[in-house]
Amino acid sequence: MSILFKDLAFPTPTADGLAAAFGRVTALLDAGQRDQALALFDTERRAYDSWASLVALRFAQDTTDPQARADRDLADSLTPRVTEHEIAIKRRLLDDPDRPGLVAAVGTHTVRLWETDITTFDPRIRDALEEEARLGAEYTALLASARLTVDGQTVNLSGLAPFAESLDRDVRHAAEQARWDFFATHGTELDALYDRLVQVRHGMARTLGYDTYTPLGYRRMRRVDYGPAEVARFRDDVLTHVVPLVRAIMENRRLTMNWDRLRSWDEALIDPLGNPRPAGDHDVLVERAQTMFDRMGGDLGAFYRKMTEGGFLDLRNRPTKAGGGFCTAFPSMGMPFIFANFNGTQHDINVFTHEMGHAYQNWKSRDLPGIDLLWPTMEAAEINSMALEFLTWPQIDLMVEDGLADRFRRVHLIGSLSFLPYGVCVDHFQHEVYARPDMTAEQRHATWRRLEQLYMPWRDYGDLARPAMGGRWQAQGHIYRSPFYYIDYTLALCCAMQFWLRSRTDQDGAMAVYTDLCTLGGSQPFTGLVAAAGLASPFEPGTLADIVQEAERVLQMR
């Protein structure tokens, strides 16, 4: 029987109820019944995560709804308590002298994840975790409150995209002026919010025995197979191999358009004739996507049909809806949900195929034993999403205006390459911020501007005062809500573009490997999943060079 999203309802937990539930797990361990304890532990974690995911989704769907806000506040207060219960039980399991038995029961990778998890929590930081969540929700609500007027229309931040890609340069400038006027108006508030988040995180790290937040941040991301040194080398590779190509692309665009200077409001207009638009509105794209996924073979089409028939999509932009796009899931019942904000640009296609990749992976790995394996760590999860963006290329004519599929593919490729320098800049910025948590707001802005000039030397903000002084980073929600979660996109893109290279000569083979990778879920760490898919690690010298060489050939930049 089909699962319908509208029928989803999970019991609202209480602090006492959670203590009792996890207490039953401990009682089973006391009685020497480890297998039964592990099964109940997994069940209780799935139940809480399903409720918390639904609460977070409802808040994102309407950030002004009082009940959604109240439920989100409850989740923010309960989650640190759940973490405390989970960590205590993981410690208990890891302290068991029968380590081989535990490994046999849950797997080597899960044990390694748990060994990392227990270093990220102590009851002393419970209040700090709740404060961190509250501040993140405050940032989300603030950005969702934006009402901007451009070309006689009032839109939210997501609704600016069509104007930012207009063929009319004055309209593009007006759109960016409206965006940055909002951030300038709320600049003091945004500075204070982030300063508080940095202090809260630094305080948690010090309480747990770390010198700075960085090692704690990596552990909270469950990065068990690489560290800051490997990431720094990858950033250097982007600087060496990708930045020169993107700089040449930007200069070529300036010459083609006969601009005296390329301004920041020109960067979103990748195609001189106008960025290709979707084939139609929300309903057209949702319908045509079914044909696209059916043609791609395997069970991708069947899965998408379950998503649409069950109502597991929310893609329309609305005034009080949170910005951005994401995929969430409800592990108690094995179905994911896609959230996005369609705005009539090619971004609708990109975000849809991207989140569909996350959803497909989560569905394919839904039967893996243990909640810890249902999702990979973030950088590996982003391979699944970004790779599907490229693997839909042969069928993308269904989703784009008639006759513009080739132009769409070119725009997508250039956009992907251009993202890499920005993505590593976001990561580098966070490393510097958490290395110096006592920086003033002005010093943070100066740090961003310095790094922006290193990784994106072409960027010229003209008369846009807020980003020109270094405030561009405040529009990147990950920096506020998910510290160190951004290099993941660049590492994954390096892998996804290898799927692109493979699909150019063997589309069916690339799809088969992709499906197998999705089925593996989070059963291995990032580098293990990369190796299982036959991909070169982003940390290996030359990986980016090969991708850039092919991109130069395709774009005829040599």
Side-chain angles (χ1 to χ4, degrees):
M1 189 172 72
S2 296
I3 302 172
L4 301 179
F5 175 72
K6 67 180 180 63
D7 294 335
L8 283 193
F10 303 105
T12 301
T14 64
D16 290 343
L18 290 166
F22 288 107
R24 289 190 287 273
V25 177
T26 302
L28 288 170
L29 290 174
D30 290 340
Q33 299 178 39
R34 184 173 61 192
D35 288 348
Q36 294 90 328
L38 285 169
L40 182 59
F41 187 39
D42 193 65
T43 297
E44 294 297 343
R45 293 174 68 197
R46 287 174 187 258
Y48 182 78
D49 280 10
S50 295
W51 172 79
S53 293
L54 185 59
V55 163
L57 174 61
R58 293 298 194 200
F59 175 72
Q61 289 179 311
D62 186 354
T63 60
T64 65
D65 180 79
Q67 187 59 55
R69 281 176 170 265
D71 290 343
R72 173 66 187 259
D73 290 344
L74 177 61
D76 288 346
S77 68
L78 290 179
T79 296
R81 297 175 181 274
V82 171
T83 301
E84 183 174 355
H85 292 308
E86 290 185 7
I87 293 297
I89 291 171
K90 289 173 184 177
R91 282 202 176 100
R92 174 78 178 270
L93 289 163
L94 292 169
D95 286 342
D96 192 321
D98 182 20
R99 177 58 67 90
L102 178 63
V103 171
V106 301
T108 301
H109 182 48
T110 296
V111 169
R112 195 174 180 187
L113 291 174
W114 289 358
E115 288 173 337
T116 301
D117 293 342
I118 64 173
T119 67
T120 66
F121 181 82
D122 184 280
R124 291 174 296 167
I125 68 168
R126 183 199 301 154
D127 291 344
L129 287 169
E130 185 174 342
E131 174 72 355
E132 180 187 34
R134 186 192 66 77
L135 292 168
E138 190 174 334
Y139 172 85
T140 298
L142 174 61
L143 266 61
S145 72
R147 297 294 176 270
L148 315 168
T149 301
V150 184
D151 204 23
Q153 298 183 48
T154 300
V155 296
N156 58 13
L157 287 169
S158 295
L160 279 177
F163 303 99
E165 296 183 8
S166 171
L167 282 171
D168 187 327
R169 202 179 192 196
D170 289 338
V171 171
R172 294 199 304 276
H173 176 258
E176 288 306 286
Q177 187 71 63
R179 182 192 311 277
W180 296 114
D181 282 351
F182 172 81
F183 281 93
T185 298
H186 297 280
T188 301
E189 185 177 357
L190 287 164
D191 285 335
L193 261 176
Y194 190 60
D195 186 70
R196 181 60 185 150
L197 281 163
V198 170
Q199 298 311 316
V200 166
R201 289 165 182 152
H202 182 68
M204 288 192 291
R206 297 291 292 173
T207 298
L208 294 176
Y210 301 100
D211 291 334
T212 69
Y213 177 74
T214 301
L216 175 59
Y218 270 62
R219 287 174 177 267
R220 290 177 76 183
M221 295 295 294
R222 304 181 108 183
R223 294 172 180 166
V224 300
D225 52 339
Y226 66 92
E230 288 82 3
V231 168
R233 286 200 301 271
F234 176 74
R235 293 197 305 259
D236 287 344
D237 281 350
V238 172
L239 191 60
T240 299
H241 298 292
V242 182
V243 169
L245 173 57
V246 177
R247 190 172 195 170
I249 289 171
M250 295 296 180
E251 176 62 10
N252 183 65
R253 189 180 310 168
R254 185 190 71 80
L255 293 171
T256 300
M257 300 299 288
N258 196 31
W259 293 323
D260 60 336
R261 304 190 68 167
L262 179 91
R263 302 291 192 182
S264 61
W265 53 87
D266 298 320
E267 292 185 35
L269 182 66
I270 298 174
D271 190 322
L273 299 177
N275 293 351
R277 294 186 177 275
D281 61 11
H282 169 278
D283 293 348
V284 171
L285 292 184
V286 169
E287 180 181 354
R288 289 194 175 194
Q290 185 65 66
T291 303
M292 176 175 70
F293 293 131
D294 284 340
R295 288 180 181 176
M296 292 175 69
D299 56 1
L300 188 57
F303 164 65
Y304 178 67
R305 191 168 286 105
K306 288 178 180 289
M307 294 282 286
T308 55
E309 292 178 353
F312 287 89
L313 304 171
D314 181 358
L315 310 175
R316 300 179 191 273
N317 185 18
R318 296 187 298 276
T320 59
K321 192 175 177 182
F326 60 82
C327 175
T328 190
F330 315 101
S332 290
M333 40 76 69
M335 275 297 287
F337 188 101
I338 295 176
F339 173 99
N341 284 275
F342 279 5
N343 53 38
T345 70
Q346 91 281 348
H347 179 70
D348 295 349
I349 301 169
N350 294 337
V351 72
F352 175 62
T353 53
H354 180 103
E355 302 305 339
M356 183 64 180
H358 282 310
Y360 182 61
Q361 172 270 301
N362 183 262
W363 183 71
K364 290 294 288 183
S365 59
R366 66 193 183 283
D367 293 327
L368 287 175
I371 190 173
D372 293 279
L373 307 182
L374 299 184
W375 291 107
T377 48
M378 293 303 186
E379 71 292 277
E382 298 301 345
I383 300 175
N384 302 309
S385 56
M386 290 181 158
L388 192 62
E389 293 182 43
F390 287 100
L391 290 170
T392 56
W393 272 24
Q395 308 296 335
I396 210 66
D397 59 299
L398 287 163
M399 306 291 283
V400 186
E401 289 177 304
D402 289 345
L404 301 187
D406 284 340
R407 282 169 54 190
F408 173 87
R409 286 186 276 264
R410 183 179 179 86
V411 167
H412 182 216
L413 178 58
I414 290 174
S416 297
L417 292 165
S418 302
F419 171 76
L420 286 167
Y422 173 75
V424 297
C425 185
V426 170
D427 178 73
H428 197 160
F429 173 71
Q430 293 184 90
H431 276 84
E432 296 220 5
V433 164
Y434 289 106
R436 295 175 53 206
D438 58 342
M439 278 198 286
T440 64
E442 292 74 18
Q443 288 172 326
R444 290 188 186 117
H445 292 308
T447 297
W448 173 265
R449 190 66 184 128
R450 171 174 56 82
L451 294 174
E452 191 173 49
Q453 290 171 334
L454 174 67
Y455 291 108
M456 293 163 281
W458 55 84
R459 182 151 292 174
D460 182 346
Y461 288 109
D463 62 353
L464 302 179
R466 187 69 184 180
M469 54 76 76
R472 167 64 184 84
W473 62 273
Q474 293 189 312
Q476 191 57 61
H478 300 71
I479 294 175
Y480 282 80
R481 297 187 299 251
S482 305
F484 290 113
Y485 178 15
Y486 213 73
I487 196 68
D488 309 74
Y489 293 111
T490 62
L491 295 172
L493 184 54
C494 180
C495 297
M497 293 190 78
Q498 293 179 63
F499 274 103
W500 168 65
L501 294 177
R502 187 178 301 180
S503 68
R504 290 173 62 75
T505 57
D506 183 10
Q507 171 73 12
D508 291 342
M511 273 301 302
V513 173
Y514 172 76
T515 300
D516 289 344
L517 177 62
C518 289
T519 304
L520 288 174
S523 59
Q524 298 181 43
F526 171 63
T527 53
L529 291 169
V530 168
L535 305 173
S537 169
F539 304 128
E540 292 179 9
T543 300
L544 277 172
D546 292 342
I547 293 169
V548 166
Q549 183 178 29
E550 178 64 9
E552 287 176 331
R553 190 189 69 78
V554 170
L555 297 173
Q556 299 179 334
M557 296 299 296
R558 290 192 296 162

